[in-house]
């Protein structure tokens, strides 16, 4: 029987992160959207205004019997540069701030341990770790964007996508 868990990951532009996470065995469902802002029911234009506090994020529902949270976090850190504040690649602004947002204390503890080890690898570290306070799905055209638009812009390199996919071979 599946044991589905949920985590919210903000990795810059949500298009590429969603595409990468869908490569992982055990990821059951993804939804791109906006996490931890101050307004109700934001849209893309409002989020891009740098006035709402929302970050572009991916809601990930995964089968904990198939994939561990640690492996999902490894994939996440393959895709981001935690040294970059308020942006990834050519995308800049508060909506592109990287972060991991949890909904239960057990997930928070796993994330805290993972973050402690990850911080040691970087001279600067701006990736947030916080509880998920609110999440609103993005507009339909953002869902599965790179699947529908394979030539679309993405800050995640083909090498990084391959590294994420290779995580499936690890036990």
């Amino acid at each position: 029987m599946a044991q589905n868990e949920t985590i919210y990951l903000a990795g810059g532009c949500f298009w590429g992160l969603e595409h990468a996470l869908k490569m992982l065995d055990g990821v059951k469902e993804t939804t791109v959207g906006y996490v931890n802002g101050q307004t109700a029911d934001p849209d893309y234009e409002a989020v891009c205004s740098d006035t709402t506090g929302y970050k572009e994020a991916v809601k990930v529902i995964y089968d904990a019997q198939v994939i561990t949270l640690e492996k999902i976090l490894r994939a996440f850190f393959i895709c981001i540069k935690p040294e970059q504040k308020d942006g990834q690649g050519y995308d800049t602004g508060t909506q592109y701030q990287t972060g991991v947002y949890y909904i239960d204390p057990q997930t928070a503890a796993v994330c805290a341990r993972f973050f402690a080890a990850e911080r040691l690898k970087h001279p600067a570290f701006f990736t947030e770790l916080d509880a998920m306070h609110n999440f609103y799905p993005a507009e339909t055209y953002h869902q599965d964007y790179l699947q529908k638009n394979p030539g679309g812009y993405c800050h995640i390199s083909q090498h990084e996508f391959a590294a994420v996919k290779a995580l499936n071979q690890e036990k």
Side-chain angles (χ1 to χ4, degrees):
M1 171 126 6
Q3 181 184 347
N4 290 338
E5 302 285 340
T6 303
I7 190 79
Y8 298 80
L9 306 170
C13 175
F14 45 34
W15 297 341
L17 186 59
E18 178 189 41
H19 188 71
L21 294 168
K22 282 180 166 274
M23 294 177 176
L24 295 172
D25 295 340
V27 169
K28 308 299 274 179
E29 181 181 329
T30 61
T31 304
V32 298
Y34 314 113
V35 70
N36 282 11
Q38 293 92 29
T39 61
D41 201 23
D43 61 16
Y44 186 69
E45 186 175 309
V47 170
C48 289
S49 73
D50 262 357
T51 61
T52 66
Y54 283 98
K55 290 91 175 164
E56 290 189 18
V58 182
K59 176 183 179 182
V60 181
I61 299 174
Y62 62 98
D63 183 341
Q65 294 180 342
V66 176
I67 188 169
T68 64
L69 176 57
E70 290 89 344
K71 190 175 278 190
I72 291 171
L73 293 172
R74 284 180 57 210
F76 173 72
F77 277 97
I78 287 170
C79 295
I80 68 160
K81 310 290 184 277
E83 302 91 352
Q84 191 172 353
K85 182 171 175 45
D86 292 337
Q88 291 291 292
Y90 294 114
D91 296 321
T92 59
T94 57
Q95 77 270 24
Y96 299 118
Q97 174 60 47
T98 58
V100 174
Y101 307 95
Y102 53 85
I103 54 177
D104 61 67
Q106 296 85 358
T107 301
V110 171
C111 291
R113 285 190 302 274
F114 196 93
F115 267 57
E118 197 65 33
R119 274 190 187 92
L120 298 174
K121 301 176 187 177
H122 305 280
F125 192 88
F126 295 104
T127 301
E128 298 177 340
L129 177 59
D130 196 4
M132 191 282 297
H133 302 291
N134 53 15
F135 178 82
Y136 293 92
E139 297 79 356
T140 302
Y141 72 91
H142 288 297
Q143 307 299 328
D144 300 309
Y145 186 85
L146 289 182
Q147 184 179 339
K148 296 183 272 190
N149 301 279
Y153 167 75
C154 183
H155 72 275
I156 301 170
S157 71
Q158 291 303 313
H159 174 75
E160 291 163 334
F161 282 129
V164 167
K165 191 170 186 174
L167 292 174
N168 290 321
Q169 304 310 310
E170 296 179 5
K171 293 294 173 196

